Amino acid sequence: MPPVITNIEDLRQLARKRVPRAIFDYVDRGSYDELTLRANKADLDAIALRQRVAINVEHRSTATTLLGEPARMPVAIAPTGLTGLNWGDGEMLAARAAERFGVPFTLSTMSICSIEDVASVVQRPFWFQLYVMRDRGFAASLIERAKAARCSALVLTLDLQIQGQRHRDIKNGLSVPPRLTLANLLDIASKPAWALRVLGGRRKTFGNLEGHVRGADSLSTLSQWIAGQFDPTLSWADVEWVRGLWGGKLILKGILDAEDARLAAAAGCDAIVVSNHGGRQLDGALSSIRALPEIADAVGDRTELLFDGGVRSGQDVLKAVALGARGCMIGRAFLYGLGAMGEAGVTRVLEILRNELDVSMALTGTRDILEASPALLRLPGETARGAGPVRRVA
Ligand code: FNR
């Protein structure tokens, strides 16, 4: 009997069974004590939606635009590294699922499938995410390749000048260089369907980097090169340099502070992604949803705001949009779908989120997602709107 899938957690459980442990943990876990990873979800959960009744909600629309592009709902696929290790040709499949569903797809610099691979399977332009590495010539060549592939936006990630540590990856041997432990081998041997799909995929290493580093073309040698390439000197001058080279729509990703949001807006970007990298970088950082209102106040009228971190349901999407985000990016949610069921799993994730969003809109009396505002919510500690925090009676 195939398992009955009703929500994102079901797909997570299925992915856990089908994908080798080291890859599943790479997706699932966060940095250090995982405080920020947990806070991303807990702080979304702590916001209440206001239930409203007797409002005619027969006709509803989740449709919007993201960076001027029509989207069937305010969701985009986030850039994630090594996606093609969850399922062979994973990035191509996810891009196709996103295109068919009608939401943007973002390809990571650290993908398995290359920019050109993804461009070959979709008609709708996708977004490309860039890490500016020490090798500036490489960044420049990626920008040119993204232009040639007709990418419609460049997502420049700013919160990875140095890598946070995920303890679980080290214990699993997913380190630099990778260690093949006996436990890993046994685990992989118990997942032959996964192995066949990944081995049958077009590529097995970082597709965008193949051929770039002399003598390094395996996952192991290239990850060593990458580890030495993250650049702590990255500054706003580099953002300006990228903007000049790219010339198209620019999204700055990894902004969590209102002060940085102002600098980002002043740098002339088209959007920012309020993000802490899904709790994979600075552990102890504010959850994304707690950072969002302040950033919306600071720059919401000057630049489009995207949001990510902890989105696992349509209710989460509604909360983020109500707090000022134009749309949400989803990282782990789509990866669980991909690891569980390939392209069909990504489509399932998008369907689940849209259905949940649609029903939550109806039950909060929201006909059009473009009308969502903070009035839909009760924030933690709030009673009636405007009444301020609840006073505790001793
Ligand atoms: C990421 N993220 C990420 N971001 C980025 O800009 N470039 C990248 O290569 C990656 N790689 C990556 C791998 C994996 C496995 C995950 C889970 C995440 C961060 C990603 O774009 C996004 O910010 C978070 O995933 C959002 O949080 P949720 O939706 O996973 O909770």
Side-chain angles (χ1 to χ4, degrees), residues 199-383:
L199 291 177
R202 196 180 287 194
R203 291 179 207 282
K204 280 106 208 151
T205 179
F206 297 96
N208 293 323
L209 276 64
E210 270 178 22
H212 175 72
V213 189
R214 199 168 301 146
D217 248 348
S218 69
L219 205 55
S220 156
T221 49
L222 277 177
S223 30
Q224 274 179 56
W225 182 79
I226 292 165
Q229 278 289 326
F230 288 108
D231 189 355
T233 72
L234 189 80
S235 74
W236 290 105
D238 297 299
V239 174
E240 187 54 43
W241 174 74
V242 167
R243 194 167 75 103
L245 276 186
W246 168 246
K249 284 181 192 160
L250 181 66
I251 304 174
L252 298 179
K253 176 169 182 283
I255 306 286
L256 203 64
D257 190 278
E259 203 48 51
D260 284 340
R262 283 190 199 96
L263 293 169
C269 60
D270 298 280
I272 63 180
V273 188
V274 176
S275 172
N276 49 38
H277 217 100
R280 299 164 76 82
Q281 283 292 100
L282 177 63
D283 194 34
L286 214 56
S287 66
S288 301
I289 199 70
R290 271 188 68 197
L292 177 62
E294 203 180 312
I295 293 178
D297 277 351
V299 298
D301 54 349
R302 278 192 282 162
T303 187
E304 201 160 297
L305 293 184
L306 300 176
F307 166 89
D308 76 25
V311 174
R312 303 286 182 270
S313 69
Q315 291 85 321
D316 292 340
V317 174
L318 184 56
K319 291 172 186 178
V321 173
L323 283 178
R326 182 79 187 178
C328 295
M329 282 190 151
I330 50 166
R332 294 183 182 83
F334 101 86
L335 291 169
Y336 297 144
L338 183 71
M341 295 161 49
E343 181 173 345
V346 179
T347 303
R348 195 82 186 88
V349 166
L350 296 171
E351 280 168 354
I352 288 170
L353 293 182
R354 204 190 91 85
N355 289 341
E356 290 171 343
L357 173 63
D358 180 53
V359 171
S360 306
M361 282 173 57
L363 296 176
T364 53
T366 313
R367 281 181 284 251
D368 189 335
I369 190 66
L370 297 172
E371 288 165 8
S373 78
L376 288 183
L377 309 176
R378 284 268 196 277
L379 299 179
E382 227 179 3
T383 49

